[in-house]
Amino acid sequence: MRILLLSDIHANLEALEACLAAAPSFDLVANLGDIVGYGASPNEVIDRSRSLGKIFVRGNHDKAATGLLDLEDFNTLAATAAIWTRDQLTPAHHEWLVSLPQGPRSLEGFPQAQLVHGSPEDEDAYIVSIGDALVPLLALATPLTFFGHTHLQGGFFANGNSADGFRPEYRTIGQAESVSLQLKPDTRYLINPGSIGQPRDGDWRAAFALFDTDAQVVHFHRAPYNLKAAQDRIFAANLPPRLATRLAAGR
Ligand code: ZN
């Protein structure tokens, strides 16, 4: 089975379309949450995400846009975008976002893997460092966890006495590219496909991944997209301009 892993789309329709155009063939889609927030196309991105199906976990921005999460936890930029998003959502899309399940969720037919937005222990926690990753890596019964939330493509592994983080290394800064990771036996992984709509690893290209369960390979991808169109939508929506400019820097 080939599973397309999408995370942190953040209402960036141009980035999502570019990823889908660049993606190799897949059997099913797993969406790790933060479908909305920051970007200017929440309803369009929800429509597209729903049509792709099939497995979802909710993100903190999905909760914030529907009132399930207190905006006190958000910085000004995030809170402004959450309130704007709340006002834009159609009633049907609001209802759909509210009903998104909390992680972790298992993958049907593939019990070795699970999906979360933040961390397996806390859906809103950030796994940024190996220190953050150690407890979930060592405590989990499930050897493979896909997570999002940090907007940083890559992840962490633990094997015997060693544990470390990793990032895919790309050759260019503007082309569509892919880097493969062969999973090793007897190794636990936390893997982040990266953010489609607002990468923060210094690479502006939209990030996603594809997991080939038969080959035990995770293919990390970066796809260039129509950055200017996404930015123009943010300006036109009167969202904070910083939400548009940061996309160019991948921060
Ligand atoms: Zn996010």
Side-chain angles (χ1 to χ4, degrees):
M1 187 164 55
R2 290 162 64 84
I3 303 168
L4 185 66
L5 296 155
L6 308 178
S7 192
D8 297 278
I9 303 168
H10 282 292
N12 187 334
L13 183 64
E14 287 74 17
L16 175 59
E17 294 295 357
C19 288
L20 295 173
S25 64
F26 54 85
D27 302 307
L28 99 94
V29 176
N31 189 317
L32 306 183
D34 276 5
I35 294 163
V36 300
Y38 297 133
S41 304
N43 288 307
E44 296 87 342
V45 164
I46 289 172
D47 275 334
R48 198 73 167 104
S49 300
R50 286 180 75 170
S51 70
L52 290 165
K54 172 182 180 184
I55 306 168
F56 296 87
V57 293
R58 67 186 186 182
N60 53 320
H61 286 261
D62 304 320
K63 290 193 291 177
T66 52
L68 288 174
L69 185 74
D70 199 321
L71 293 181
E72 269 178 20
D73 298 337
F74 272 32
N75 64 37
T76 310
L77 270 185
T80 305
I83 292 163
W84 179 88
T85 303
R86 206 179 282 182
D87 291 342
Q88 303 297 315
L89 289 176
T90 68
H93 286 163
H94 177 101
E95 200 177 313
W96 182 78
L97 272 185
V98 166
S99 71
L100 286 178
Q102 179 177 349
R105 288 200 73 189
S106 55
L107 275 170
E108 205 176 312
F110 197 75
Q112 302 94 317
Q114 65 177 351
L115 310 169
V116 301
H117 181 66
S119 140
E121 294 145 321
D122 177 349
E123 61 176 341
D124 296 335
Y126 291 89
I127 304 175
V128 176
S129 66
I130 184 68
D132 303 328
L134 268 184
V135 168
L137 270 179
L138 300 178
L140 289 176
T142 313
L144 178 57
T145 299
F146 293 105
F147 72 105
H149 199 30
T150 62
H151 300 203
L152 304 171
Q153 194 179 49
F156 306 90
F157 71 89
N159 179 351
N161 292 325
S162 69
D164 208 349
F166 60 89
R167 294 270 179 86
E169 287 181 26
Y170 295 102
R171 292 181 305 279
T172 74
I173 54 169
Q175 292 167 30
E177 277 191 77
S178 171
V179 170
S180 299
L181 172 73
Q182 175 72 56
L183 301 184
K184 296 181 182 138
D186 302 320
T187 305
R188 291 161 177 278
Y189 292 92
L190 289 168
I191 292 180
N192 189 329
S195 169
I196 290 178
Q198 195 198 77
R200 294 180 195 156
D201 47 14
D203 188 333
W204 70 278
R205 294 172 292 183
F208 66 98
L210 185 131
F211 175 39
D212 184 327
T213 62
D214 297 334
Q216 286 290 290
V217 173
V218 175
H219 302 275
F220 293 101
H221 286 261
R222 299 306 282 231
Y225 70 96
N226 192 337
L227 176 71
K228 187 173 181 303
Q231 291 177 318
D232 285 346
R233 277 186 206 260
I234 291 172
F235 293 133
N238 282 319
L239 279 158
R242 165 98 182 101
L243 293 175
T245 54
R246 69 185 297 173
L247 295 177
R251 293 285 176 201

